[in-house]
Amino acid sequence: MKKENRMTIKIMMIGEQAVGKSSITKRYTEQIFVTNIMGTAGLDMKQKIVNVFDENVNVIIYDSAGHERFRKITEVQYKGSDGLVLIYDTTDSKSFDWIIEWIDKLKIDNIPNMEIILLGNKIDLDGRQIEKSHAQEISNKYNIKLLETSALTGENVDEAFDHIIKNIYKSKSALLKKNDDNENKTENATDHNMVNGNKIKGDKNKNNNKFCCSIL
């Protein structure tokens, strides 16, 4: 039986420590919420098979630590990802400031093929410090979709991943099709040249034979 060749989509979770990156990842991949979850020590990885437009896709989610000493690791990892989920805590203004710093550092204009979504997490908690309207101004400025989420209740978590995964799928599918088309054109051109070359060679042989016979 032929093994199914699934598309693989890599997504990096980025945000300060304790904004809920691990909780959101766990909510999406396992549909559960765990209280007092231990912070990520470096990079954690979760996988999930997702059906996108009637095709099974292998989604790999990298959960990065928010500590300062791990930020260089994050920078290296995001460059190999297909999409980024930027997360801040709606009850922590510093976590939002850090995300803005990250957005500026990413220089989004230089990575046009990267799918990015901004999530304001912990909307189930009191003590909001970042109003949605303020976050929306930032998302509009950089043309990034904004959703507010709750890992506790699951609100908008699936919607966030569905959005970014579908967009990545469309982009990768279009790129794969373009590459296949280019390969087919190259193969057809090669075949065409080979046929014409053989034809020319045959004509030369024919002329040479005629010349030989006329001499005799």
Side-chain angles (χ1 to χ4, degrees):
M1 184 177 178
K2 187 178 179 181
K3 185 178 179 181
E4 185 180 0
N5 186 21
R6 294 195 184 104
M7 178 189 291
T8 296
I9 289 176
K10 297 178 182 180
I11 297 174
M12 170 68 73
M13 310 287 282
I14 292 177
E16 274 285 45
Q17 185 182 19
V19 296
K21 298 187 301 293
S22 298
S23 296
I24 288 176
T25 301
K26 206 167 189 66
R27 166 62 71 180
Y28 178 67
T29 56
E30 302 177 43
Q31 296 298 310
I32 61 173
F33 178 80
V34 180
T35 56
N36 299 322
I37 191 169
M38 292 182 63
T40 304
L43 282 173
D44 190 19
M45 184 187 79
K46 296 288 185 184
Q47 286 185 271
K48 183 175 181 178
I49 302 300
V50 181
N51 188 272
V52 184
F53 302 120
D54 294 326
E55 179 180 339
N56 287 331
V57 174
N58 183 34
V59 177
I60 301 176
I61 302 172
Y62 294 97
D63 175 15
S64 64
H67 302 287
E68 179 69 35
R69 61 195 176 102
F70 288 113
R71 290 182 185 176
K72 288 186 178 180
I73 297 176
T74 304
E75 290 174 26
V76 171
Q77 287 291 325
Y78 88 74
K79 293 178 181 178
S81 301
D82 300 304
L84 303 177
V85 179
L86 308 180
I87 307 170
Y88 66 93
D89 179 349
T90 56
T91 67
D92 181 1
S93 59
K94 289 183 179 179
S95 70
F96 185 72
D97 293 339
W98 188 81
I99 282 297
I100 295 176
E101 178 185 329
W102 242 101
I103 291 174
D104 289 335
K105 185 181 293 186
L106 287 175
K107 296 180 180 178
I108 292 172
D109 292 339
N110 295 331
I111 48 174
N113 295 326
M114 182 79 74
E115 292 294 334
I116 304 172
I117 189 170
L118 177 64
L119 303 185
N121 193 38
K122 300 188 181 182
I123 57 174
D124 53 277
L125 298 180
D126 295 328
R128 176 188 282 267
Q129 294 183 7
I130 303 298
E131 294 299 328
K132 187 175 181 179
S133 57
H134 178 44
Q136 192 67 60
E137 289 177 4
I138 300 299
S139 68
N140 290 342
K141 177 181 178 181
Y142 293 99
N143 195 29
I144 303 173
K145 184 176 178 61
L146 168 69
L147 284 175
E148 291 195 330
T149 60
S150 168
L152 175 64
T153 66
E155 184 175 348
N156 281 338
V157 172
D158 285 349
E159 287 81 358
F161 280 100
D162 286 347
H163 173 81
I164 192 169
I165 289 171
K166 285 180 178 178
N167 282 348
I168 293 171
Y169 177 89
K170 291 176 182 177
S171 297
K172 295 193 78 168
S173 294
L175 182 60
L176 288 171
K177 185 178 184 305
K178 182 179 180 180
N179 290 339
D180 287 342
D181 289 344
N182 289 337
E183 286 181 6
N184 289 334
K185 287 179 181 178
T186 301
E187 290 175 0
N188 291 337
T190 301
D191 291 342
H192 178 73
N193 290 334
M194 288 180 64
V195 169
N196 287 344
N198 290 334
K199 184 176 180 180
I200 293 170
K201 184 177 181 180
D203 289 344
K204 286 182 177 179
N205 290 337
K206 184 177 179 180
N207 291 334
N208 289 338
N209 291 336
K210 184 177 180 181
F211 181 72
C212 291
C213 295
S214 63
I215 292 175
L216 292 173

